[in-house]
Amino acid sequence: MDFTKVKENEKKSVLEKKEIVEKDFWRQKYHIQGIVGLINDPNGFSQFKGKYHMFYQWNPLGTNHKNKTWAHSVSSDLLHWERMETALRPDTWYSKDGVYSGSAIVDDEKLYLFYTGNVKDSEGNRESYQCLAVSSDGENFERWEPSIVNQPDGYTRHIRDPKIWKKDGKFYAVIGIQSENLEGKAVLYSSENIKDWKFEGEIAGANHGKIKDFGFMWECPDYFQLKDEKTGKIKDLLVFSPQGLEPEGDLYNNKYQTGYLFGKLDYEKPEFEILSAFVEIDRGHDFYAPQSMEDDKGRRIVVGWMGVPEDEDFPTVKNEWIHCLTLPRELKVRDGKLYQEPISEMISIRGEKIEFEDFVKGEKEIGKGKTYELIAKFSDISSDFGLKLRVGRDSETVVKFDFKDKKLVLNRSCGAQSDKSVRKVFLGDIKDLELRIFVDNSSIEIFVNNGEEVFSSRIFPLENADKIIVFAENETKVKLEKWEWK
């Protein structure tokens, strides 16, 4: 196969489409997005030589899931990102049909990328290769021949998305895989030298241990530990994106899901002993394949893809681009529950501020804005109440507490997106509610009660939709602070 035109085709596509993409009023202000084309999974999230590095799946040639490269952006503050040269392209025999997802690790003053090379034959049969690339400067990468060729016995060719870490001088990686019974699994590999890898065994999966029927594939697994801020105990977490779950009431309403298990990883067996139920990380319409890293401040930071596989009917496609990543979040555990908080750096982009404090009954417009942060505190609760954001002709995004059902509801049905469904989460009997909301040109991210629950969804209001309205059926005390983004 002739790989010489891969880079040339990328450059040509960017030049042809960049102007129309940049004119789109739905382009994001503080979210990572592709120059043109499609992006999806965050990859190789790391910190190296004083910079945060984010790689991500990118198709520069179109808005479908083909021609996958690893795009590359760097930042000093996780908010202002500089686009770098594409790090990895499908220009090797072991990645000719796509450079698929993976992770990164810094070791011995070098940055290593561990990724999946995808190969298909003329009949569509797949081969998967787990591969490494290494850099001394964080910009130029030397690619190595595959370290793991295809799959161990008992599994299909669906093996991908290695997440790498180091413990006691030894390297480990958890990889998503599918069994021959078409069940999603997570397997563990180990290496003494980062180049040669040994299959240790299956650590979790559908119909494995306490987990019963739970999807036909587990993608983008992530393993890490956090200290419980209440109890001081170390918690092991396994995060993954199962495919094939059926909706159950308010749960699993996206095409595919992402969530976590608390447990304990036994490296010797190996086994991830499950100590909790599976919990969805995000309750919104658009969240998948998150990747976390620990930075030099000791924070566990996570970024997800603000999209879902096989859900591509977005109005930006006509303007030659689709999808973005979420804003970075800090993960914490409090009393056995995972919380997500906006990173502290978000304060640095706060611009002009407006404040509102009063009792509200009915509707009241309290300001305008298209890209902003909003903190809303509600008390004296006795009825339905909430916010209408990006309000205008044929546009509004509604965040409402349903007093009878005791649920927070996100309704984005009045907008240009084709999916008009709502998303809900049960909050129970509450006396007060705090929402911290981040609104960009085509997204909303809602942090409920200090990140106990989170909603991430793309929204597509018309260009001039900018009103902010607060409402309540019965008189409700409301305090709002809103900052336009700089």
Side-chain angles (χ1 to χ4, degrees):
M1 182 176 181
D2 182 9
F3 296 118
T4 57
K5 291 188 176 181
V6 172
K7 186 175 181 179
E8 180 181 328
N9 290 341
E10 175 187 314
K11 183 178 181 180
K12 181 180 177 182
S13 180
V14 169
L15 290 174
E16 289 176 345
K17 301 173 182 178
K18 188 176 181 181
E19 184 175 355
I20 188 173
V21 170
E22 290 178 344
K23 289 180 179 179
D24 192 338
F25 59 81
W26 284 316
R27 290 289 284 177
Q28 301 279 64
K29 189 171 184 178
Y30 280 105
H31 290 74
I32 291 177
Q33 56 201 343
I35 303 172
V36 301
L38 172 145
I39 73 166
N40 56 298
D41 305 0
N43 297 152
F45 190 21
S46 52
Q47 193 176 25
F48 182 63
K49 294 188 180 296
K51 296 279 189 179
Y52 292 97
H53 290 253
M54 179 65 75
F55 305 83
Y56 42 99
Q57 297 280 282
W58 179 44
N59 175 10
L61 307 186
T63 56
N64 53 16
H65 285 276
K66 296 180 179 180
N67 312 301
K68 291 297 181 66
T69 71
W70 270 36
H72 182 199
S73 295
V74 300
S75 174
S76 297
D77 62 2
L78 293 164
L79 296 173
H80 301 85
W81 293 91
E82 177 188 359
R83 177 59 186 256
M84 308 295 286
E85 171 68 21
T86 301
L88 304 174
R89 294 183 174 88
D91 55 5
T92 67
W93 68 266
Y94 49 82
S95 67
K96 72 178 185 68
D97 293 301
V99 185
Y100 278 19
S101 291
S103 55
I105 191 171
V106 177
D107 189 68
D108 194 25
E109 299 186 359
K110 294 179 180 179
L111 177 61
Y112 293 88
L113 308 183
F114 199 15
Y115 64 96
T116 299
N118 187 49
V119 175
K120 292 182 180 178
D121 64 19
S122 59
E123 297 180 353
N125 298 311
R126 178 193 302 270
E127 293 182 353
S128 296
Y129 300 93
Q130 312 312 315
C131 314
L132 284 141
V134 60
S135 175
S136 297
D137 60 10
E139 297 183 28
N140 301 287
F141 291 87
E142 176 193 351
R143 297 173 72 169
W144 295 352
E145 293 289 296
S147 291
I148 302 172
V149 177
N150 286 313
Q151 76 282 4
D153 292 340
Y155 300 92
T156 74
R157 294 288 175 91
H158 288 280
I159 173 174
R160 53 185 174 267
D161 315 331
K163 178 61 189 291
I164 187 172
W165 71 95
K166 192 175 185 180
K167 176 181 171 61
D168 299 332
K170 193 172 183 177
F171 298 96
Y172 294 91
V174 61
I175 305 178
I177 200 168
Q178 182 186 66
S179 72
E180 290 181 342
N181 293 328
L182 306 185
E183 299 166 335
K185 308 281 188 177
V187 292
L188 186 69
Y189 279 76
S190 69
S191 174
E192 300 287 349
N193 61 8
I194 209 170
K195 198 168 186 177
D196 303 303
W197 289 82
K198 173 188 175 185
F199 175 66
E200 296 289 350
E202 182 181 307
I203 61 170
N207 293 311
H208 177 120
K210 295 181 180 180
I211 297 288
K212 302 307 176 186
D213 295 335
F214 215 72
F216 59 80
M217 179 65 192
W218 285 16
E219 290 197 316
C220 302
D222 192 355
Y223 166 79
F224 52 89
Q225 294 182 316
L226 288 173
K227 180 184 287 188
D228 192 312
E229 293 183 344
K230 288 284 186 72
T231 67
K233 295 181 179 178
I234 300 297
K235 298 284 189 178
D236 289 25
L237 289 94
L238 181 64
V239 179
F240 58 98
S241 297
Q243 296 184 331
L245 304 187
E246 294 296 324
E248 296 179 15
D250 297 331
L251 301 177
Y252 315 147
N253 280 270
N254 294 341
K255 174 72 175 180
Y256 300 125
Q257 327 306 324
T258 296
Y260 67 92
L261 297 164
F262 283 117
K264 190 65 178 176
L265 179 57
D266 185 330
Y267 288 81
E268 298 300 321
K269 283 188 176 181
E271 181 82 12
F272 186 81
E273 180 188 0
I274 296 170
L275 301 176
S276 75
F278 177 81
V279 178
E280 286 182 275
I281 284 182
D282 196 289
R283 308 296 182 172
H285 300 78
D286 301 291
F287 188 90
Y288 194 79
Q291 187 163 115
S292 74
M293 57 84 71
E294 184 176 318
D295 73 356
D296 59 12
K297 299 176 183 178
R299 301 180 298 180
R300 174 63 57 172
I301 300 173
V302 68
V303 172
W305 168 32
M306 206 181 293
V308 175
E310 300 173 28
D311 185 7
E312 318 287 63
D313 190 11
F314 283 14
T316 60
V317 169
K318 68 179 182 294
N319 292 325
E320 303 290 354
W321 73 283
I322 187 171
H323 297 316
C324 65
L325 303 185
T326 67
L327 292 171
R329 308 157 182 190
E330 184 177 359
L331 298 179
K332 297 181 178 181
V333 174
R334 297 191 187 105
D335 203 17
K337 183 174 179 60
L338 184 65
Y339 282 71
Q340 301 172 74
E341 295 183 352
I343 56 171
S344 59
E345 288 88 342
M346 293 304 304
I347 295 174
S348 69
I349 61 171
R350 287 176 175 175
E352 183 181 354
K353 180 182 181 181
I354 65 168
E355 296 181 81
F356 171 86
E357 186 170 7
D358 203 350
F359 286 88
V360 173
K361 184 177 181 180
E363 289 193 359
K364 186 174 183 63
E365 182 180 338
I366 58 92
K368 297 179 184 294
K370 295 180 180 179
T371 59
Y372 55 86
E373 175 188 349
L374 176 69
I375 296 178
K377 298 179 181 180
F378 301 89
S379 54
D380 297 338
I381 294 168
S382 63
S383 67
D384 289 4
F385 64 87
L387 296 160
K388 296 180 179 181
L389 308 173
R390 296 300 306 272
V391 180
R393 180 174 61 86
D394 297 326
S395 302
E396 68 176 19
T397 298
V398 182
V399 184
K400 182 184 80 170
F401 181 71
D402 185 315
F403 185 77
K404 180 181 178 182
D405 290 343
K406 308 182 192 308
K407 295 178 181 180
L408 190 69
V409 182
L410 173 60
N411 185 338
R412 64 168 190 180
S413 60
C414 190
Q417 66 282 343
S418 61
D419 180 0
K420 306 296 185 182
S421 60
V422 301
R423 294 292 182 268
K424 305 178 181 180
V425 67
F426 181 77
L427 297 183
D429 291 307
I430 58 173
K431 296 180 180 179
D432 306 285
L433 178 66
E434 178 176 318
L435 303 176
R436 191 174 176 190
I437 302 173
F438 297 88
V439 178
D440 209 336
N441 284 315
S442 57
S443 67
I444 183 169
E445 289 162 88
I446 306 165
F447 296 80
V448 183
N449 290 336
N450 299 310
E452 183 177 3
E453 299 288 354
V454 182
F455 291 76
S456 300
S457 293
R458 299 299 302 279
I459 59 173
F460 297 95
L462 297 185
E463 185 172 7
N464 296 317
D466 62 359
K467 294 178 183 177
I468 301 171
I469 294 172
V470 62
F471 66 88
E473 288 185 2
N474 296 339
E475 193 170 77
T476 302
K477 187 176 181 180
V478 181
K479 181 179 180 180
L480 299 177
E481 296 176 288
K482 178 252 179 184
W483 296 267
E484 194 72 15
W485 281 343
K486 294 178 182 177

